């Protein structure tokens, strides 16, 4: 799951169900607001948290994301309409990523859908879509309840994620199938999720039990909490665009300018999440008309520099072609990794990025191969990539 | 018609339950005037076309009904003023029997506080009006000339084909591109202006302002003091702006004559008209339309389906929410109608004796309440109350058309506006509307109540029930921007290949037009010829 952009001007965000637990683990005491919920930017240090996710297991409070429980006979059709995720094709326990598109095929949001039982699904989205969901449910036999804030949600990422879960006594949970049940008296659901293209598990449990579960995991000494800043590095390395940061969701694009249209999945490098040869979804007809005609491209870049800034100009052959939308220093790559929004006509391999003072000038940047871009290439049938792996997102 | 010889039929001519019928080029759903027109266009072009309607007779909400023993009235419209002249010409409706008993109908306006005003011809004939104040008459003449010029200029913007791209701003920009700066500026001002502001800037308080205030408000969901309320008036005048063909007229035999002519045109075009064949669902395969499923279980398969029903029935019921974009569903469902026009027939005892009354009965009679009463009426109707005074448009079919003369009785056909929209009005609401309409008519026809033998009231819910449609489609039209938005969204047909929509929501303005049918049929034919369907 990807967090949306921060609410820069928000005041007094609400505490997430896990807030009391994660606050006790925070040394930095550095908080921000996501969707009006409190989110930790840093717990100890960005590099420590990053290393934990890479080598051990990172625990992320996913409370600021929005969750809906979807029940009813038409649940699969409803979710297949609302998102591009292949909900009808999911078996119980499976999850799938998808996108929410408007009628023109522009991206409104990312989505992750899990089937917990035959007619019970959970959908998680970076931002809230209550009105849209209510409208989409009209005329269908489906109930969609916003359960954000009613449940605690803990994301576990990293190579030792299963060890963390086992330490918590959640042995029946694995990273590929969702499960639900009562564990030591606490009703818990666990489902596979992805942080961009990185796999993980999300534990969902009643908010009243948030501290119990948290304590159970922390007492075993495996895993450590991870804040937004370290997750940002992981996100950029995996090539997952962030709504509100790397692109403006189509339902928030200002129409005043006339040329702001939102972004197609293809323009975000996410065409593999909206395949036109699968079932119908909202916006598919609009997308079909526009597909193959991208005007912009969101690309991952590796920049030969130690510092770079969002907003920095991107050049190709000396001419400006776009700008950096988000970036961070990658300890793994020893370079700055970034997303850049560029004109589709300038899509290539090599670019230059403007660097501000004190050493004003330009530095070289190359297109970065990420887990997400590999999936996109596989989907488009590029040589050396397996298309099957890209179009089947069930996990 | 071009049905396979082995295709069994039931008595009504519909498919036998459970059978699948193929070899069809186009299916048109809905046998109202738009459905008949669309089917005729397709049939004339050589497509094997089947028109399926839910009712026993084609015509949709325009239907002849017995109002009282021995007295028949026409439901739906009683005048025409927007019928597309291109449709009349292209479908050769005169050859198929369309005649007018009266064209560019003379109008008499009645007021509470002023003497009646008689126009020889309609509003556009301002030069012929007898007014004490020459300045006022000159102001009206200049105003109407200006509006007619703007209406003529805006005719393309009132046609679905132009805004099917879905971008109203782009459409308006394109329309205004050919305008002089003065015309463009006027249109922009009139687009957002309230009718009250426009009229106050041009006329002093008096009968002309009062009648224009009511004319603008008539059949509109927007009160004249609200922004965006003036533009629909330009749409109404666009019929007149197209020349005599589009002027307010009374067809010989009533509005049903349009249906009759279209039906003959459809027969001439070899359209297979199937009555009593309600459609259960529209078949979608992938992103293409594949045909229709009838209520009796039969299937008709064709690469083109044109829906001339209301949008809710077509998109939300027949196609279903799981197959349409959420944005289209939002456009169709978010705004609940609040205002409607009541359609009434009064059967009156006796016949008029005096010459003045008989002369008046050959005219369009229009009661324009005081400006403040019109504003109050909209507030009342929105709050669900029946207003005390209603704007009334009345004609006497028997006086306009000798063939409709009754023996020792008279039929008065009335439209009264605004009344609260109610999909299922109760008896108390109906009684209140009848009384309000009668009270308003009494303002210009004193003593008429005593002659009333029968009052027949039709509200949108009645019309919708008669044709199995959603009542909201027959409510008063919302402001022009919303009309454009709905028309753009529905005319885009949800992006379903081979599916075209020309129901009431695809039309700008109230009344029979057939413009939407023409646009939909032409779009279908273009796609058919290019092999896109």
């Amino acid at each position: 799951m990807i967090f949306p952009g921060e609410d820069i001007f928000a005041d007094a965000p609400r505490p997430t169900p896990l807030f009391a637990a994660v606050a006790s683990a925070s040394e930095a005491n550095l908080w921000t607001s996501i969707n009006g919920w409190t989110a930790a930017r840093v717990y100890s240090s960005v590099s420590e948290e990053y290393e934990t996710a890479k080598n051990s297991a990172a625990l992320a409070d996913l409370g600021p994301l929005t969750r809906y429980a979807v029940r009813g006979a038409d649940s699969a059709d409803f979710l297949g309409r609302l998102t591009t995720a292949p909900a009808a094709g999911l078996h119980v326990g499976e999850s799938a990523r998808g996108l929410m598109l408007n009628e023109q095929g522009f991206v409104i949001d990312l989505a992750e859908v899990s089937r917990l039982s035959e007619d019970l699904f959970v959908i998680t989205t970076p931002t809230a879509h209550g009105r849209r969901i209510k409208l989409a449910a009209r005329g269908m036999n489906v109930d969609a309840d916003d359960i954000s804030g009613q449940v605690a949600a803990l994301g576990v990422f990293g190579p030792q994620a299963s060890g963390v879960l086992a330490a918590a006594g959640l042995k029946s949970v694995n990273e590929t199938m969702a499960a639900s049940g009562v564990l030591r008296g606490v009703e818990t659901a666990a489902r596979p999720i992805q942080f961009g293209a990185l796999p993980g598990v999300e534990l969902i449990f009643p908010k009243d039990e948030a501290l119990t579960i948290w304590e159970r995991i922390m007492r075993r000494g495996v895993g450590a909490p991870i804040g937004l800043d370290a997750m940002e590095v992981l996100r950029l390395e995996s090539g997952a665009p962030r709504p509100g940061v790397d692109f403006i969701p189509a339902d928030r694009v200002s129409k005043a300018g006339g040329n702001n249209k939102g972004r197609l999945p293809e323009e975000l490098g996410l065409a593999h999440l909206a395949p036109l040869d699968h079932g119908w979804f909202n916006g598919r007809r609009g997308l079909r008309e526009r597909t193959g005609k991208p005007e912009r491209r969101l690309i991952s870049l590796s920049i030969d520099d130690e510092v770079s800034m969002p907003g920095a100009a991107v050049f190709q052959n000396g001419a400006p072609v776009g700008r950096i939308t988000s970036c961070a220093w990658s300890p793994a790559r020893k370079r700055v990794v970034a997303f850049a929004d560029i004109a589709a006509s300038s899509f290539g391999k090599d670019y230059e990025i403007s660097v501000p003072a004190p050493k004003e000038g330009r530095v070289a940047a190359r297109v970065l191969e990420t887990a997400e871009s590999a999936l996109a290439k596989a989907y488009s049938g590029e040589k050396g990539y397996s298309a099957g792996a890209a179009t089947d997102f069930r996990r | 018609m071009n049905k396979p010889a082995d295709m069994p039929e039931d008595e009504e001519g519909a498919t036998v339950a459970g059978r699948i019928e193929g070899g069809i080029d186009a299916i048109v759903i809905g046998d109202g005037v738009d459905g008949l027109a669309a089917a005729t266009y397709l049939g004339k072009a050589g497509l094997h076309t089947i028109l399926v309607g839910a009712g026993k007779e084609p015509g949709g909400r325009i239907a002849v009904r017995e109002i009282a023993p021995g007295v028949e009235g026409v439901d739906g419209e009683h005048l025409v003023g927007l019928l597309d002249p291109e449709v009349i010409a292209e479908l050769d409706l005169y050859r198929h029997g369309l005649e007018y008993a009266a064209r560019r109908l003379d109008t008499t306006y009645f007021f509470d506080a002023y003497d009646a005003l008689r126009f020889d011809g309609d509003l556009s004939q301002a030069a012929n009006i007898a007014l004490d104040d020459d300045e006022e008459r000159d102001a009206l003449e200049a105003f109407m000339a200006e509006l007619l010029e703007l209406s003529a200029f805006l005719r393309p913007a009132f046609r679905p084909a132009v805004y099917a791209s879905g971008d109203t701003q782009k459409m308006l920009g394109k329309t205004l591109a050919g305008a002089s700066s003065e015309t463009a500026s006027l249109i922009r001002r009139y687009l957002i202006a309230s009718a009250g502001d426009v009229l106050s800037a041009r006329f002093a308080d008096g009968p002309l302002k009062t009648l224009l205030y009511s004319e603008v408000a008539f059949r509109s969901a927007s009160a004249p003091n609200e922004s965006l309320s003036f533009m629909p008036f330009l749409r109404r005048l666009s019929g007149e702006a197209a020349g005599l063909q589009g002027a307010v007229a009374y067809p010989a035999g009533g509005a049903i004559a349009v249906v009759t002519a279209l039906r003959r045109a459809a027969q001439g075009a070899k359209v297979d008209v199937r009555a009593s064949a309600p459609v259960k669902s529209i078949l979608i395969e992938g992103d293409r339309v594949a045909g229709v499923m009838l209520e009796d279980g039969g299937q008709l398969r064709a690469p083109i389906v044109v829906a001339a029903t209301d949008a809710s029935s077509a998109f939300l019921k027949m196609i279903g929410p799981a197959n349409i974009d959420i944005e289209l569903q939002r456009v169709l469902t978010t705004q609940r109608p609040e205002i409607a026009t009541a359609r009434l027939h009064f059967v009156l005892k006796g016949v008029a004796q005096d010459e003045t009354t008989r002369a008046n009965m050959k005219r369009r009679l229009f009661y324009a309440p005081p400006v403040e009463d019109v504003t109050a009426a909209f507030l009342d109707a929105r709050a669900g109350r029946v207003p005390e005074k209603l704007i009334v448009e009345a004609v006497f079919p028997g006086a306009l058309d000798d063939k409709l003369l009754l023996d020792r009785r008279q039929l008065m056909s009335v439209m009264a506006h605004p009344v609260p929209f109610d999909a299922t009005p109760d008896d108390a609401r109906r009684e209140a509307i009848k009384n309000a309409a009668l009270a308003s008519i009494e303002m210009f026809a004193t003593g008429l109540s005593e002659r009333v033998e029968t009052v027949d009231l039709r509200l949108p819910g009645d019309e919708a029930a008669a044709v199995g449609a959603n009542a909201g489609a027959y409510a008063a039209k919302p402001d022009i921007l919303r009309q454009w938005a709905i028309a753009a969204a529905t005319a885009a047909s949800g992006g379903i290949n081979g599916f075209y929509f020309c129901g009431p929501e695809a039309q700008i303005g109230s009344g029979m037009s057939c413009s939407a049918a023409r646009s939909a049929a032409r779009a279908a034919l273009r796609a058919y010829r290019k092999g896109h369907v």
Side-chain angles (χ1 to χ4, degrees):
Chain A
M1 290 312 317
I2 299 298
F3 285 87
E6 296 165 49
D7 316 322
I8 297 169
F9 301 109
D11 50 12
R14 296 162 289 171
T16 64
L18 269 175
F19 177 74
V22 296
S24 66
S26 174
E27 293 169 20
N29 207 22
L30 194 56
W31 305 89
T32 186
S33 171
I34 300 276
N35 288 334
W37 297 100
T38 309
R41 289 187 65 111
V42 182
Y43 285 96
S44 52
S45 80
V46 175
S47 56
E48 271 180 33
E49 293 165 24
Y50 172 84
E51 290 304 326
T52 302
K54 283 283 188 182
N55 303 314
S56 172
L59 310 174
D61 177 8
L62 302 182
L65 300 173
T66 310
R67 260 168 214 82
Y68 300 90
V70 180
R71 294 180 179 83
D74 292 341
S75 295
D77 285 346
F78 165 76
L79 290 167
R81 177 194 193 197
L82 186 71
T83 76
T84 62
L90 292 178
H91 293 294
V92 173
E94 288 184 328
S95 290
R97 283 197 296 155
L99 301 171
M100 289 172 71
L101 306 182
N102 71 5
E103 86 281 21
Q104 294 174 299
F106 294 119
V107 178
I108 290 175
D109 211 344
L110 315 172
E112 188 138 350
V113 174
S114 299
R115 187 169 211 158
L116 298 183
S117 69
E118 203 50 47
D119 58 358
L120 172 62
F121 290 79
V122 170
I123 172 172
T124 309
T125 55
T127 51
H129 297 282
R131 283 180 65 188
R132 186 175 184 78
I133 283 174
K134 199 173 164 191
L135 183 64
R138 271 190 208 165
M140 301 181 91
N141 182 6
V142 67
D143 283 320
D145 299 319
D146 187 346
I147 56 169
S148 323
Q150 297 171 30
V151 293
L154 182 65
V156 186
F157 303 98
Q160 293 178 21
S162 55
V164 170
L165 299 168
L170 307 176
K171 285 177 187 165
S172 63
V173 171
N174 64 45
E175 289 177 26
T176 57
M177 293 293 281
S180 58
V182 178
L183 294 167
R184 296 191 186 174
V186 179
E187 201 176 324
T188 308
R191 61 175 188 140
I193 56 167
Q194 296 199 304
F195 184 68
L198 298 178
V201 172
E202 181 185 45
L203 298 178
I204 301 173
F205 38 93
K207 65 177 181 181
D208 296 341
E209 306 294 345
L211 280 171
T212 311
I213 296 284
W214 178 264
E215 281 302 317
R216 195 177 291 169
I217 292 171
M218 294 306 284
R219 220 177 289 139
R220 298 297 181 106
V222 282
I226 184 169
L228 284 178
D229 288 2
M231 291 176 80
E232 184 70 353
V233 184
L234 294 168
R235 178 186 75 81
L236 286 160
E237 285 179 348
S238 73
R242 188 173 178 189
V245 175
D246 295 310
F247 69 97
I248 305 298
D251 57 346
R252 295 179 194 183
V253 166
S254 162
K255 292 184 174 66
N259 289 325
N260 298 324
K261 292 179 182 169
R263 294 286 183 266
L264 298 168
E266 185 182 5
E267 293 176 323
L268 298 178
L270 299 175
H272 51 288
L273 293 184
L276 289 169
D277 53 350
H278 284 40
W280 188 79
F281 49 77
N282 198 81
R284 193 178 79 169
R285 295 174 194 125
L287 180 61
R288 187 184 290 282
E289 269 180 37
R290 290 172 180 80
T291 209
K293 294 175 267 187
E295 293 179 16
R296 309 291 302 177
R297 292 297 290 256
L298 187 71
I299 55 171
S300 287
L301 288 177
S302 166
I303 304 172
D304 294 343
D305 196 16
E306 293 169 2
V307 182
S308 200
M309 287 175 68
V314 178
F315 293 84
Q316 187 183 50
N317 301 326
V321 294
R323 65 180 188 90
I324 298 292
T325 55
S326 61
C327 59
W329 169 254
S330 164
R333 295 187 178 271
K334 311 288 186 231
R335 278 178 171 74
V336 169
V337 288
F339 264 120
D341 179 57
I342 60 162
S345 55
S346 66
F347 185 53
K349 282 185 178 173
D350 297 312
Y351 298 89
E352 286 181 320
I353 310 298
S354 67
V355 180
K359 206 175 62 177
E360 198 168 337
R362 292 178 194 169
V363 293
R366 286 184 64 79
V367 169
L368 177 66
E369 175 92 340
T370 63
E372 199 70 75
S373 66
L375 289 171
K377 282 180 178 174
Y379 173 72
S380 65
E382 206 165 302
K383 259 187 173 176
Y385 295 90
S386 158
T391 51
D392 188 1
F393 295 97
R394 287 173 291 174
R395 297 191 54 238
Chain B
M1 300 275 165
N2 295 326
K3 200 190 296 182
D6 61 344
M7 185 70 210
E9 287 185 350
D10 65 10
E11 284 179 3
E12 301 285 352
T15 55
V16 168
R19 290 295 297 265
I20 298 175
E21 189 177 338
I24 308 161
D25 295 321
I27 299 162
V28 178
I29 307 168
D31 55 6
V33 289
D34 282 291
L36 284 164
T40 307
Y41 271 105
L42 296 170
K44 263 173 78 95
L47 273 65
H48 175 204
T49 306
I50 293 182
L51 174 67
V52 285
K56 286 184 180 168
E57 287 287 326
R61 70 188 192 102
I62 312 291
V64 176
R65 194 166 47 86
E66 191 171 57
I67 303 298
V71 183
E72 287 186 334
V74 180
D75 286 334
E77 305 291 325
H78 60 183
L79 297 174
V80 295
L82 282 185
L83 196 55
D84 195 325
E86 279 88 347
V87 174
I88 297 175
E90 288 162 3
L91 301 188
D92 219 353
L93 294 187
Y94 293 135
R95 193 168 65 81
H96 289 107
L98 179 63
E99 275 184 70
Y100 288 105
R103 304 191 79 153
R104 196 169 274 148
L105 214 51
D106 299 337
T107 303
T108 302
Y109 290 94
F110 298 96
F111 310 94
D112 285 8
Y114 313 107
D115 291 338
L117 277 183
R118 294 165 64 88
F119 281 67
D120 294 335
D122 60 19
L123 263 180
S124 63
Q125 310 302 306
N128 298 334
I129 188 178
L131 265 182
D132 295 339
D133 187 338
D134 285 348
E135 274 185 30
E136 280 278 278
R137 192 194 59 205
D138 292 346
L140 178 65
E141 193 179 350
F143 186 55
M144 291 311 297
E146 178 186 297
L147 295 189
L148 285 174
E149 190 183 332
L150 293 181
S151 296
F153 190 82
L154 280 169
R155 282 192 81 222
F158 297 135
R159 298 198 142 158
V162 176
Y163 46 76
S165 67
D167 192 333
T168 306
Q169 272 195 6
K170 199 189 278 179
M171 174 277 291
L172 206 58
K174 204 173 161 186
T175 305
L176 294 182
S180 66
S181 59
E182 196 183 337
T183 303
S185 148
L186 260 181
I187 289 173
R188 285 204 179 90
R189 195 192 315 159
Y190 287 164
L191 174 65
I192 54 168
S194 76
D197 287 346
V198 172
L199 298 175
S200 295
R202 303 289 289 253
F203 299 97
D205 289 345
L208 289 184
K209 184 175 167 185
T210 305
L211 81 85
L212 285 165
Y213 207 79
S214 283
E215 278 278 18
V216 171
F218 188 57
R219 302 192 72 174
S220 170
S222 302
N225 60 338
E226 294 167 354
S227 58
L228 302 166
S229 60
F230 188 68
M231 194 59 126
F233 188 50
L234 290 180
R235 167 57 177 146
R236 276 185 54 206
L237 293 176
S238 66
E240 172 64 39
L244 185 61
Q245 297 275 24
V248 174
Y250 188 80
I256 194 70
V258 179
V259 174
T260 308
L262 280 166
R263 195 176 171 179
R264 286 184 188 143
Q267 282 167 350
K270 294 189 167 32
V271 174
D272 183 353
V273 180
R274 299 188 184 180
S276 303
V279 171
K280 184 180 180 188
S281 59
I282 294 170
L283 305 171
I284 309 289
E285 292 175 359
D287 286 333
R288 293 177 168 276
V289 76
V292 301
M293 166 87 80
L294 301 174
E295 288 283 3
D296 66 8
Q299 269 190 34
L300 304 175
R301 297 189 69 85
I304 293 173
V305 172
V306 179
T309 61
D310 68 280
S312 286
S313 298
F315 290 101
L316 302 179
K317 272 172 67 183
M318 294 178 190
I319 294 178
N323 265 313
I324 62 161
D325 287 325
I326 297 165
E327 287 75 8
L328 175 57
Q329 191 175 3
R330 175 184 292 142
V331 169
L332 297 178
T333 57
T334 45
Q335 197 167 344
R336 207 177 65 82
E338 294 176 315
I339 304 284
T341 302
R343 177 91 175 90
L344 299 107
H345 281 102
F346 293 88
V347 180
L348 307 174
K349 289 178 279 192
V351 291
Q353 299 298 327
D354 65 291
E355 200 53 45
T356 312
T357 305
R358 278 209 295 273
N360 258 339
M361 284 165 58
K362 291 181 182 295
R363 307 170 71 92
R364 170 181 178 249
L365 308 177
F366 194 93
Y367 169 59
V371 166
E372 56 275 18
D373 288 352
V374 172
T375 307
F378 274 88
L379 289 174
D380 280 341
R382 288 232 174 93
R385 297 187 295 269
V386 177
E388 279 180 29
K389 286 185 181 173
L390 300 170
I391 303 165
V392 168
E393 178 187 76
V395 292
F396 286 85
L400 291 166
D401 183 352
D402 291 346
K403 290 178 188 156
L404 302 176
L405 262 178
L406 299 173
D407 185 25
R408 290 193 295 277
R409 284 184 293 181
Q410 282 165 338
L411 180 67
M412 180 168 65
S413 174
V414 167
M415 293 189 113
H417 187 87
V419 299
F421 173 80
D422 189 344
T424 51
D426 59 17
D427 289 345
R429 168 67 54 86
R430 287 176 180 280
E431 206 53 37
I433 291 173
K434 285 178 189 174
N435 291 338
L438 206 48
S440 300
I441 293 167
E442 279 279 343
M443 299 303 290
F444 64 89
T446 314
L448 184 131
S449 304
E450 291 163 14
R451 291 179 54 208
V452 173
E453 188 180 285
T454 305
V455 184
D456 178 84
L457 170 68
R458 295 283 277 184
L459 291 168
D462 306 317
E463 294 184 340
V467 294
N470 171 34
Y474 302 134
K477 293 274 187 179
D479 67 65
I480 193 74
L481 289 185
R482 185 152 176 78
Q483 281 192 58
W484 269 327
I486 295 173
T490 54
S493 301
I496 300 167
N497 193 298
F499 179 65
Y500 301 88
F501 178 79
C502 60
E505 290 86 349
Q507 179 181 315
I508 305 295
S510 304
M512 285 185 286
S513 163
C514 297
S515 287
R518 180 175 183 260
S519 298
R522 283 158 63 102
L525 286 171
R526 271 197 302 276
Y528 183 80
R529 285 171 185 147
K530 287 181 181 173
H532 291 170
V533 292

